[in-house]
Amino acid sequence: MSRTLYSLIFILCMPLVLLRLLYRARKAPAYARRWHERFAFGGDLRPGGIWVHAVSVGEAIASAPLVRQLMQRYPELPITISCMTPTGSEQIRKLFDDKVGHVYLPYDLPGLQRRFINRLQPRIGIIMETELWPNLVHEAKAAGVPMVLANARLSERSARGYRRISWLVEPMFAALDWVAVQTQAEALRFKRLGVKEESMLITGSIKFDLQPDPHAREQAAQLRSSWGERPVWIAASTHAGEDEQVLAAHKQVLVSVPEALLILVPRHPERFNSAAELVEAAGMPLVRRSSGAIVAHTDQVFLGDSMGELMMLYSCADVAFVGGSLVATGGHNYLEPAALGLPIISGPHRYNFAEISELLEGAGALRQVRDAKTLAAAVVKWLEQPAEAHRAGAAGQTVVQDNQGALERLLHGIAQQLK
């Protein structure tokens, strides 16, 4: 009954959903394409194999080591990866080209999810992190498809939201066959929402199993060498309302370190142009990555307006600020700069990666700031004290290495479900 009510509400809201899609297409035209896939038609499906759902860019990147291992261990099983956003789609194609199938996940209506599952006929469904939909899980279970929640995370804030609609989500959580959860605290939250204790294992985060790409490191070294000996800091995955604070901080950094270069990487490509306009309005000489131009010694900002190059751009920097944390977005993946040995700065909003950021902070690899002034002070301190910055970066690398192994535990659990 609860799922029927949910489906009815979803149907009534579909005009608003489609209007929102059109609105988003104004800034990101890719949202206006491939609509048929959102209604379970078309798409590059590879039936009879492994289905992985990675909602957007972050989940797609996190799933990459898992997908590569699945390709090696089960070469007879085709893999299809679904997502929800054009940026996620672009990232999947960049990571895997045509080695995997790829499609947008349909809207969560019973008929659409049923048609999707019937067309795909997966041996197993693997959902990255917490991208769960009631009708999706129900239709997969009705078709006898084992459902795994991989690298599962659930902040206290998200758990409170789920508890408000417990009448809807508890049957969904209870239907999961296996949950590979990142931490003990998150396991308790999942249990309160209906996940069976015997169907859950604390595996840690597969994001710790990140292995920096040597080719990206080499590319970064070439790019960095063209900039000379100047100090470089990066503000990565920034959001609206955050770029202004980062640029204000960079102005203060330049007072103490006049030759400093900022790499600014907005989280969403539809904001690349607006970020460039903010830089220009701030009176800072700018070079865009997409232009292919060489950074001159007078340039003060390098805009990372490209997709799939974040790790390469991190590798160009001496200090990393992780965005989504000076605004109430919850932070992004702190392990990417940590794996590269960079000292890390974060704003106060880091609830999406609370446990990971606390580990790094406890090791001395991460500093928290609250605004442009404290951000500038943290950047200057590490740029002017490279030995201390190196120690902090090395501590972060140690945290990453000490917590690896989640990927192997996840693969073992998936193997049990495929038997």
Side-chain angles (χ1 to χ4, degrees):
M1 181 62 186
S2 58
R3 196 170 51 81
T4 302
L5 178 60
Y6 158 78
S7 300
L8 178 60
I9 294 171
F10 204 120
I11 290 170
L12 293 174
C13 289
M14 277 303 295
L16 295 176
V17 172
L18 297 177
L19 283 172
R20 181 174 180 269
L21 203 62
L22 284 170
Y23 174 77
R24 299 193 74 173
R26 293 175 61 189
K27 293 185 177 180
Y31 275 102
R33 306 184 192 114
R34 297 166 54 193
W35 277 34
H36 58 291
E37 294 179 24
R38 299 184 188 273
F39 292 90
F41 293 107
D44 179 12
L45 300 182
R46 313 281 172 97
I50 298 171
W51 161 44
V52 177
H53 179 60
V55 60
S56 192
V57 175
E59 292 80 7
I61 293 171
S63 73
L66 170 64
V67 171
R68 292 191 183 103
Q69 283 295 314
L70 291 171
M71 292 167 71
Q72 289 181 19
R73 298 186 186 202
Y74 306 99
E76 75 284 4
L77 294 179
I79 295 176
T80 300
I81 306 178
S82 59
C83 74
M84 297 289 282
T85 68
T87 52
S89 175
E90 186 177 345
Q91 186 68 60
I92 290 164
R93 282 302 182 213
K94 191 175 183 71
L95 286 166
F96 302 108
D97 196 24
D98 62 352
K99 296 182 180 68
V100 303
H102 169 54
V103 65
Y104 282 135
L105 187 73
Y107 291 121
D108 197 43
L109 294 172
L112 302 186
Q113 297 293 11
R114 192 177 309 125
R115 180 160 60 230
F116 175 72
I117 295 295
N118 288 342
R119 292 180 61 220
L120 187 56
Q121 297 182 337
R123 286 273 306 277
I124 190 171
I126 303 169
I127 298 176
M128 296 301 300
E129 301 195 355
T130 326
E131 178 65 13
L132 291 169
W133 295 93
N135 284 319
L136 170 66
V137 174
H138 175 82
E139 295 299 335
K141 290 297 294 181
V145 179
M147 293 299 291
V148 169
L149 189 59
N151 207 43
R153 62 186 178 95
L154 185 65
S155 69
E156 181 56 42
R157 179 177 178 174
S158 295
R160 285 197 302 270
Y162 276 124
R163 284 196 291 271
R164 294 190 190 102
I165 51 170
S166 59
W167 53 272
L168 174 63
V169 300
E170 284 185 1
M172 175 184 72
F173 281 110
L176 296 171
D177 292 275
W178 190 61
V179 177
V181 67
Q182 295 188 23
T183 67
Q184 177 66 44
E186 287 164 313
L188 291 171
R189 292 172 196 145
F190 277 113
K191 183 179 177 181
R192 293 189 194 109
L193 287 169
V195 175
K196 301 182 184 73
E197 191 169 0
E198 63 271 20
S199 301
M200 188 161 42
L201 179 68
I202 300 169
T203 59
S205 172
I206 65 171
K207 291 183 178 180
F208 282 106
D209 291 278
L210 174 70
Q211 298 295 330
D213 182 1
H215 174 69
R217 300 293 295 271
E218 184 179 324
Q219 188 181 7
Q222 293 175 356
L223 184 60
R224 176 72 190 259
S225 67
S226 70
W227 300 343
E229 296 298 319
R230 62 195 302 184
V232 179
W233 71 287
I234 185 171
S237 298
T238 58
H239 288 253
E242 204 164 36
D243 296 317
E244 295 88 341
Q245 297 181 71
V246 167
L247 293 172
H250 190 48
K251 281 191 173 182
Q252 296 177 48
V253 170
L254 290 169
V255 173
S256 300
V257 190
E259 68 277 20
L261 177 69
L262 164 66
I263 304 174
L264 178 62
V265 189
R267 177 71 173 178
H268 300 112
E270 59 265 30
R271 294 189 52 253
F272 288 161
N273 289 335
S274 60
E277 290 169 4
L278 285 173
V279 177
E280 290 165 357
M284 298 183 186
L286 165 74
V287 171
R288 297 179 67 146
R289 169 66 173 163
S290 59
S291 73
I294 301 298
V295 173
H297 73 279
T298 53
D299 292 316
Q300 295 174 334
V301 179
F302 183 71
L303 182 67
D305 59 343
S306 58
M307 289 296 297
E309 291 194 317
L310 183 58
M311 286 297 284
M312 187 277 290
L313 294 173
Y314 267 132
S315 298
C316 292
D318 302 306
V319 176
F321 165 74
V322 178
S325 60
L326 279 175
V327 292
T329 302
H332 291 294
N333 189 0
Y334 299 97
L335 295 177
E336 291 171 333
L340 294 167
L342 294 179
I344 302 162
I345 303 170
S346 171
H349 305 286
R350 45 186 180 147
Y351 50 81
N352 285 337
F353 293 86
E355 289 81 5
I356 287 172
S357 64
E358 286 167 7
L359 274 177
L360 292 168
E361 188 174 30
L366 180 148
R367 289 178 179 169
Q368 180 173 300
V369 298
R370 63 181 181 275
D371 52 24
K373 182 178 179 180
T374 52
L375 172 58
V379 171
V380 168
K381 186 169 184 179
W382 265 331
L383 289 181
E384 291 185 336
Q385 299 179 18
E388 186 176 336
H390 177 76
R391 282 193 294 272
Q397 278 186 313
T398 299
V399 168
V400 173
Q401 292 161 5
D402 287 350
N403 286 277
Q404 290 180 340
L407 179 58
E408 192 58 42
R409 291 186 283 272
L410 173 58
L411 287 162
H412 178 75
I414 291 170
Q416 298 302 306
Q417 296 298 319
L418 278 169
K419 283 184 177 178

